[in-house]
Amino acid sequence: DTAVSQTPKYLVTQMGNDKSIKCEQNLGHDTMYWYKQDSKKFLKIMFSYNNKELIINETVPNRFSPKSPDKAHLNLHINSLELGDSAVYFCASSRTLGGSYNEQFFGPGTRLTVL
Amino acid sequence: RKEVEQDPGPFNVPEGATVAFNCTYSNSASQSFFWYRQDCRKEPKLLMSVYSSGNEDGRFTAQLNRASQYISLLIRDSKLSDSATYLCVVTPRGSTLGRLYFGRGTQLTVWP
């Protein structure tokens, strides 16, 4: 009965490779997010989709491309991985009601290590 | 200047102690305020929202001071299970739906 799930949980790869992280939520939420938590533990939003439409696109390199095939899924593809991409990536989801904020539920995170 | 500033700690307290965390936010037009909890190597989870009049949830009390732009979290009768990182979270007024700004978190360790 996992609410927000991510795969893989751990990802170790070489510089220059391309990788994807998948996220799925079964909560019926209409908004999904990608966050990055770096080694200093700052949690920073990268992207947000509402009903499959991109609504938040923070200043991240073009190498990062989110894709939302439907409201329950938000994937993150990263091209040409760099050492600085090493971090924990969290997916989250929430329900919007009348434009107001509602609690965000986070997935377990994907720990990416670029060698 | 970061949107949300927190003392990273760590705070090390014995069981039963009372501990308080503060955080400050830079945008005076901020609208919504929260405390999230993050256990080691786990995802953040909402602990409680923070209301203007202050609010309590069991052993946890949250306060908001808009004039000074700070938020506090008080934990009474600390338990071992309270050991975690506590994240102060703010949503600016008029921000894009769902945009949250997180502090770097305050680490709490409760020892027996």
Side-chain angles (χ1 to χ4, degrees), chain A residues 10 33 35 37 40-43 45 55-56 58 90 96 99-101 103-104 106-108 111, chain B residues 2 4 32 34 36 38 41-46 87 91 96-104:
Chain A
Y10 298 95
Y33 313 81
Y35 286 87
Q37 189 169 41
K40 295 183 179 176
K41 305 301 181 186
F42 272 112
L43 196 62
I45 192 164
I55 57 169
I56 296 176
E58 284 295 277
F90 286 102
T96 58
S100 65
Y101 165 79
E103 177 184 356
Q104 292 187 17
F106 284 78
R111 188 171 295 272
Chain B
K2 297 236 178 269
V4 182
S32 303
F34 312 91
Y36 274 70
Q38 186 172 22
R41 301 179 77 86
K42 297 285 189 180
E43 71 272 22
K45 293 183 180 178
L46 180 67
L87 304 167
T91 300
T96 304
L97 188 66
R99 180 186 293 275
L100 302 180
Y101 289 98
F102 284 79
R104 67 179 292 181

Side-chain angles (χ1 to χ4, degrees), chain B residues 11-105:
Chain B
F11 285 66
N12 297 304
V13 303
E15 267 188 298
T18 295
V19 61
F21 309 136
N22 291 328
C23 92
T24 58
Y25 57 95
S26 59
N27 187 337
S28 61
S30 293
Q31 183 173 24
S32 303
F33 310 89
F34 312 91
W35 284 100
Y36 274 70
R37 169 191 169 134
Q38 186 172 22
D39 292 323
C40 187
R41 301 179 77 86
K42 297 285 189 180
E43 71 272 22
K45 293 183 180 178
L46 180 67
L47 178 66
M48 59 195 301
S49 301
V50 185
Y51 302 119
S52 296
S53 55
N55 48 297
E56 192 173 302
D57 182 1
R59 298 180 293 107
F60 298 83
T61 301
Q63 297 275 358
L64 169 64
N65 185 322
R66 286 190 183 271
S68 302
Q69 293 178 218
Y70 83 77
I71 308 149
S72 65
L73 177 68
L74 182 78
I75 305 175
R76 290 183 301 278
D77 189 22
S78 299
K79 311 290 185 192
L80 295 178
S81 57
D82 294 335
S83 297
T85 296
Y86 291 83
L87 304 167
C88 179
V89 184
V90 169
T91 300
R93 186 184 302 277
S95 69
T96 304
L97 188 66
R99 180 186 293 275
L100 302 180
Y101 289 98
F102 284 79
R104 67 179 292 181

Side-chain angles (χ1 to χ4, degrees), chain A residues 34-104:
Chain A
W34 277 112
Y35 286 87
K36 178 181 180 180
Q37 189 169 41
D38 59 25
S39 57
K40 295 183 179 176
K41 305 301 181 186
F42 272 112
L43 196 62
K44 192 170 179 187
I45 192 164
M46 301 173 69
F47 302 103
S48 170
Y49 274 76
N50 176 255
N51 287 316
K52 295 174 31 179
E53 180 184 347
L54 181 65
I55 57 169
I56 296 176
N57 186 356
E58 284 295 277
T59 307
V60 297
N62 291 337
R63 300 181 294 103
F64 290 79
S65 53
K67 279 190 173 54
S68 181
D70 55 59
K71 285 198 299 184
H73 295 85
L74 180 62
N75 304 322
L76 182 65
H77 187 75
I78 315 171
N79 289 326
S80 303
L81 278 154
E82 300 177 358
L83 293 177
D85 297 332
S86 296
V88 181
Y89 292 84
F90 286 102
C91 177
S93 73
S94 67
R95 178 185 292 118
T96 58
L97 283 172
S100 65
Y101 165 79
N102 289 282
E103 177 184 356
Q104 292 187 17

